[in-house]
Amino acid sequence: MKLLVATDLSDSASTMIERAQAIAKTLSAEVWLVHVVEPDPDIIGITARPKSVRDTIAEKFHGEHRKLQQLAEGMRNQGLKVTALLVQGTTAEKILHEAAKLEVDMIVIGTPGRGAIYQLLVENVVKEILQQSPYPVLVIPMHGHTT
């Protein structure tokens, strides 16, 4: 079995990751731990940003990459086969694209655990995935788990 576990790397996502880890162990599943970052406007052709802004964005991406690798390593230490993927693009679109590319059996995502605006954005991503996914989607509620 192949699972794509999508994470936003928030503190509340750690609970979702633990639950996904338990499911993966039970199913002896291979896991792709995926975090989507928005594309850098410089890459997609929008006016170039000042170097200081580009450096800040690069630093953020490196930090997210490190955190994703640490999560994957923790899952590997629990005996799971895990591959961490940091991809750029529109969140729902990239999750569905990676799921298709990897031919996964299930997508695992969490509902938001942050403020109202963040919840609205993430709930829209979850809704889009549920509406468009040809794969089963397991949504792990994270209400009450805040960063």
Side-chain angles (χ1 to χ4, degrees):
M1 170 154 288
K2 298 177 185 178
L3 299 179
L4 183 149
V5 178
T7 178
D8 65 0
L9 300 177
S10 67
D11 291 341
S12 62
S14 64
T15 302
M16 186 274 298
I17 299 262
E18 289 171 12
R19 291 178 183 169
Q21 181 175 291
I23 292 164
K25 279 184 180 180
T26 300
L27 300 174
S28 299
E30 186 173 357
V31 176
W32 279 269
L33 189 59
V34 176
H35 176 63
V36 181
V37 294
E38 291 299 317
D40 183 349
D42 289 349
I43 293 172
I44 59 174
I46 297 175
T47 305
R49 297 177 178 191
K51 181 175 178 353
S52 62
V53 173
R54 290 193 315 268
D55 290 346
T56 300
I57 292 170
E59 187 176 307
K60 179 183 178 218
F61 287 173
H62 289 296
E64 290 175 345
H65 184 260
R66 278 190 301 276
K67 188 169 184 176
L68 185 65
Q69 291 298 329
Q70 290 169 347
L71 286 172
E73 187 61 31
M75 293 176 83
R76 285 185 205 105
N77 290 339
Q78 297 297 316
L80 294 171
K81 182 176 180 185
V82 180
T83 303
L85 298 173
L86 180 74
V87 295
Q88 284 187 313
T90 305
T91 304
E93 180 182 308
K94 287 307 285 187
I95 289 169
L96 293 169
H97 173 78
E98 292 299 322
K101 187 169 83 173
L102 298 167
E103 299 178 346
V104 301
D105 297 297
M106 184 185 308
I107 298 171
V108 180
I109 55 177
T111 59
R114 293 185 185 178
I117 299 296
Y118 183 83
Q119 285 183 358
L120 179 63
L121 293 172
V122 175
E123 285 173 0
N124 285 339
V125 169
V126 171
K127 182 178 177 182
E128 188 175 339
I129 290 170
L130 287 170
Q131 290 175 340
Q132 295 181 22
S133 179
Y135 308 99
V137 179
L138 174 61
V139 180
I140 299 175
M142 302 309 315
H143 302 293
H145 299 278
T146 58
T147 54

